[in-house]
Amino acid sequence: MPARLRFPMLRLTCAAVATAAALTTTAVQAGEVEVLHWWTSGGEAEAVGTLRDLLEQEGHSWKDFAVAGGAGDSAMTVLKSRAMSGNPPSAAQINGPEIQEWGELGLLGNLDDVAQEGNWDELLPDVVANMMKYDGHYVAVPVNVHRVNWLWANPEVLAAAGVEVPTSWDELFAAGEKLREAGYVPLAHGGQPWQDATTFETVVLSLGGADFYRNAFVELDEDTLKSETMIEALDTFKRLRELMDEGMPGRDWNLATKMVIDGQAAMQIMGDWAKGEFSAAGMKAGSDYVCAPVPGTDADFIFNIDSFAMFQLEDESAAEAQKTLARLILEPDFQESFNKIKGSIPARPDLDMGDFDSCAQRSMEDFKAAQANDTLVPSVAHRMAMRSDVQGAFFDIITNYFNDESMTAEQASERLAQAASLAF
């Protein structure tokens, strides 16, 4: 994975920001929107195609700028390079606190008129709407809400080994032994930093609960990061390597999902974008594959909100196409068609979920319940919880610990606390 380009390198002077904003028009033709995203797997590519089709039906053109890489690290590296040269795309997939970081640079456009016409403040939950704003103004539009803390399973494989979907870590490890004996990989995984972090954050939530999770990953409390609970989570996380195969280093997430689809592996811990791969393979939720919350997180919801931030444009035709794109993203047609393919749930909870599959229906129910019960927490692995530079440091520590037999949980927790201390 390419080396990360930290945001401090992008702290441009006011003059440079103004120049960069003016230069954005040179990259955009009339009525064209260049869209940067990292949706390149089968299910993802099909899903984003629905937005392209809707935009083109409105008479505008879509210039696709797809950069492969599951959590968007490669896409962000490319975007920062483009922005530093004064040539960002019209719209870019930017998530979580990074929207605020880009807002500080003065490069994002204002979507308040589109939001007012579409009644976004009424349609969107506060947790979603607040992430789309910088300095009180809409600068981005949400595409969906993903649940990260899902466990996916192939029921035929589980049955062949005589095990059921585990509801605790002890059950998961016990099932792993039987699955190994039956000739299956118990837990499919891709050895990439963001995938390691995805698994790790679900373990932390499971063992610590929502308040502990927020203290550790949002508040970056050093005592929490060095606590016995965090050490227990780190121990459990590393133990999960016993359930994985030797071919995991560098494996893309969708290839790990395919191991479950093909019956080579029994389970995978991954966000619900994995469901898009099951759907693309013609499989049905509840019969061909099973979704369940990661053990110990039934009442909790780790969220990842995909969103598109809009960059400033001077060309009126291009700006109009950009606003059309923003409007279309929150209209029911796109919200329903996109999220059925992508595996996520709509960003607006007022839509009828009757035509969605059972996993999506449960996800929406659990999202609303978690919001009401204050057990809704932002993903570390997917750019929701912390600044990009702190996230990068956490990624390095988590994946180094996971792959280094000599590093202890105590050492890893100390390093996490040290990384957190640099954030202030």
Side-chain angles (χ1 to χ4, degrees):
M1 183 171 291
R4 294 183 189 83
L5 187 60
R6 305 292 189 221
F7 257 91
M9 296 177 64
L10 276 177
R11 303 301 176 190
L12 307 176
T13 64
C14 292
V17 168
T19 300
L23 287 171
T24 59
T25 58
T26 63
V28 183
Q29 299 176 358
E32 178 183 82
V33 178
E34 183 181 22
V35 184
L36 182 147
H37 62 90
W38 57 84
W39 290 326
T40 57
S41 75
E44 292 175 323
E46 181 184 359
V48 77
T50 64
L51 182 58
R52 180 196 61 235
D53 293 344
L54 287 170
L55 182 73
E56 291 178 347
Q57 287 171 18
E58 295 266 347
H60 301 295
S61 59
W62 170 291
K63 184 178 181 180
D64 201 58
F65 186 7
V67 180
D73 281 4
S74 299
M76 288 301 98
T77 299
V78 173
L79 177 60
K80 290 164 191 175
S81 177
R82 286 275 301 265
M84 288 181 72
S85 66
N87 183 33
S90 314
Q93 188 180 352
I94 303 175
N95 296 345
E98 287 191 358
I99 294 173
Q100 308 304 309
E101 296 178 36
W102 282 101
E104 291 172 3
L105 297 176
L107 297 179
L108 298 183
N110 188 309
L111 296 175
D112 284 348
D113 54 346
V114 182
Q116 186 173 0
E117 291 176 11
N119 205 24
W120 291 6
D121 281 338
E122 297 297 322
L123 290 178
L124 298 175
D126 288 344
V127 69
V128 178
N130 292 340
M131 281 197 170
M132 302 302 114
K133 297 178 181 179
Y134 172 72
D135 196 25
H137 300 284
Y138 279 101
V139 294
V141 55
V143 175
N144 56 15
V145 175
H146 280 295
R147 187 181 196 174
V148 177
N149 55 308
W150 277 120
L151 179 70
W152 306 94
N154 185 316
E156 290 187 1
V157 173
L158 296 182
V163 299
E164 297 184 354
V165 177
T167 59
S168 69
W169 295 112
D170 286 342
E171 289 182 7
L172 179 65
F173 289 117
E177 293 181 8
K178 293 183 178 180
L179 287 160
R180 283 280 190 207
E181 292 173 358
Y184 300 103
V185 176
L187 192 65
H189 184 68
Q192 298 172 334
W194 74 268
Q195 293 191 63
D196 295 339
T198 295
T199 300
F200 176 61
E201 68 185 13
T202 67
V203 177
V204 172
L205 180 63
S206 172
L207 298 179
D211 288 341
F212 179 89
Y213 181 103
R214 279 189 287 261
N215 286 338
F217 297 142
V218 180
E219 302 300 327
L220 298 175
D221 180 70
E222 294 178 49
D223 289 337
T224 303
L225 289 166
K226 293 189 292 186
S227 67
E228 289 300 319
T229 300
M230 183 60 70
I231 291 171
E232 180 188 3
L234 285 160
D235 280 330
T236 303
F237 169 58
K238 181 172 276 189
R239 190 181 169 195
L240 289 173
R241 284 186 64 91
E242 302 170 6
L243 306 180
M244 301 170 184
D245 68 305
E246 295 180 357
M248 72 174 186
R251 178 187 290 142
D252 288 336
W253 70 269
N254 53 307
L255 298 181
T257 305
K258 190 174 188 299
M259 292 171 64
V260 180
I261 292 172
D262 293 344
Q264 181 183 353
M267 295 170 283
Q268 180 188 21
I269 294 173
M270 187 52 61
D272 52 19
W273 48 91
K275 185 154 62 74
E277 299 303 298
F278 287 105
S279 298
M283 302 177 75
K284 294 184 178 180
S287 55
D288 299 323
Y289 67 93
V290 175
C291 61
V294 166
T297 67
D298 279 37
D300 305 304
F301 195 114
I302 301 178
F303 68 85
N304 169 29
I305 302 169
D306 285 320
S307 53
F308 282 110
M310 305 295 172
F311 284 83
Q312 293 178 16
L313 301 175
E314 291 186 0
D315 182 271
E316 291 185 5
S317 296
E320 187 63 31
Q322 185 188 64
K323 289 183 178 181
T324 299
L325 179 70
R327 170 178 59 80
L328 288 170
I329 286 172
L330 269 183
E331 289 187 347
D333 282 352
F334 173 70
Q335 285 284 309
E336 292 177 5
S337 61
F338 175 89
N339 287 295
K340 285 178 182 177
I341 298 170
K342 184 70 161 59
S344 45
I345 58 175
R348 39 185 295 185
D350 64 312
L351 299 180
D352 184 1
M353 297 293 292
D355 289 337
F356 284 76
D357 62 49
S358 58
C359 294
Q361 291 175 5
R362 172 164 185 179
S363 188
M364 181 63 84
E365 292 171 2
D366 288 355
F367 174 81
K368 292 177 179 179
Q371 187 177 24
N373 297 323
D374 198 26
T375 57
L376 191 64
V377 296
S379 172
V380 177
H382 302 278
R383 307 177 182 277
M384 293 286 113
M386 57 185 67
R387 280 188 356 226
S388 57
D389 54 343
V390 182
Q391 183 211 41
F394 270 45
F395 270 26
D396 291 342
I397 295 164
I398 291 165
T399 202
N400 287 341
Y401 165 72
F402 195 53
N403 293 287
D404 185 351
E405 294 181 2
S406 66
M407 188 187 300
T408 67
E410 289 79 6
Q411 289 172 327
S413 69
E414 286 284 348
R415 293 180 188 183
L416 289 172
Q418 290 171 5
S421 70
L422 299 177
F424 301 101

